[in-house]
């Protein structure tokens, strides 16, 4: 069973541990900045919503989701409008990798949280081109590769899931 729990202050040390792990740092390079964003969200200074991924009763990862209208510069830089939401995902526990968890979590997030807002038309993410495992998880969750973009000087795939997608 998978649950998405709103991230709470007591989760921050665990998130910091995950961000420091080699398999996460390889793709999520801004760990210190990410922790500051988490703190800002917990203090109400950032509208990004953070969730802890709980699999079989154990925290194994984190995801964040945000409305594109709250991040207009990023949305414009990747060629998206402001009616969608963005998502970033990390699996922090090595034994949880390669089990199909990413795709399941993305489907659950889309169904239960993102598209619960009737104004949200799509869910998007940029995935580094070399992170094949991640973009495959997005594809398995129904996202499609819509275009290549550059982010932080590196090639990324813009992945998009439309409202109403049915596998």
């Amino acid at each position: 069973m998978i649950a998405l729990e709103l991230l709470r202050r007591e989760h921050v040390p665990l998130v910091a541990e995950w961000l420091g792990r080699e398999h996460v740092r390889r793709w999520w390079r801004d760990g210190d900045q990410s922790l500051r964003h988490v703190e800002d969200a917990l203090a109400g200074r950032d509208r990004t919503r953070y969730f802890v991924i709980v699999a079989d009763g154990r925290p194994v990862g984190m995801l964040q989701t945000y409305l594109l209208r709250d991040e207009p510069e990023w949305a414009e830089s990747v060629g998206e409008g402001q009616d969608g939401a963005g998502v970033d995902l990390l699996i922090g526990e090595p034994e949880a990798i390669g089990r199909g968890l990413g795709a399941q979590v993305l489907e659950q997030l889309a169904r239960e949280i993102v598209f619960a807002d009737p104004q949200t038309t799509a869910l998007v993410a940029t995935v580094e081109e070399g992170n094949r495992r991640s973009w495959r998880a997005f594809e398995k969750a129904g996202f499609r590769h819509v275009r290549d973009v550059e982010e932080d000087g590196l090639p990324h795939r813009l992945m998009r899931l439309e409202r109403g997608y049915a596998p």
Side-chain angles (χ1 to χ4, degrees):
M1 182 172 144
I2 299 170
L4 301 177
E5 294 181 3
L6 276 173
L7 187 135
R8 298 182 307 275
R9 184 146 315 278
E10 58 264 26
H11 293 125
V12 174
L14 183 57
V15 171
E17 182 181 327
W18 290 334
L19 289 167
R21 291 191 173 156
E22 179 59 33
H23 74 277
V24 174
R25 275 196 337 257
R26 180 175 181 199
W27 307 110
W28 199 302
R29 296 178 189 91
D30 62 349
D32 291 337
Q33 181 180 357
S34 292
L35 284 175
R36 285 192 297 276
H37 287 293
V38 167
E39 291 289 345
D40 285 346
L42 288 170
R45 295 185 299 266
D46 187 318
R47 295 176 57 137
T48 300
R49 293 184 293 170
Y50 291 86
F51 296 89
V52 171
I53 302 162
V54 179
D56 300 321
R58 182 170 177 248
V60 297
M62 176 191 80
L63 58 81
Q64 62 186 28
T65 187
Y66 45 91
L67 296 174
L68 297 182
R69 66 179 162 263
D70 292 335
E71 302 291 338
E73 290 176 13
W74 181 84
E76 184 178 332
S77 76
V78 297
E80 284 294 313
Q82 295 187 14
D83 293 334
V87 62
D88 298 289
L89 163 74
L90 72 83
I91 304 296
E93 297 298 332
E95 67 277 1
I97 295 171
R99 296 181 23 209
L101 186 63
Q104 293 174 41
V105 167
L106 290 165
E107 289 173 5
Q108 187 170 342
L109 173 77
R111 184 180 61 252
E112 295 177 4
I113 297 167
V114 173
F115 292 134
D117 176 352
Q119 294 180 338
T120 304
T121 60
L123 181 57
V124 299
T126 54
V127 180
E128 195 168 321
E129 181 64 37
N131 193 349
R132 182 174 173 79
R133 178 174 274 156
S134 182
W135 52 262
R136 287 293 298 136
F138 278 89
E139 288 176 340
K140 288 177 185 175
F143 287 72
R144 63 183 175 80
H145 173 215
V146 292
R147 70 183 148 277
D148 294 327
V149 297
E150 186 175 301
E151 194 170 40
D152 301 323
L154 298 168
H156 284 66
R157 291 172 164 242
L158 181 69
M159 307 298 289
R160 183 179 176 93
L161 180 70
E162 301 291 335
R163 170 183 284 289
Y165 169 81

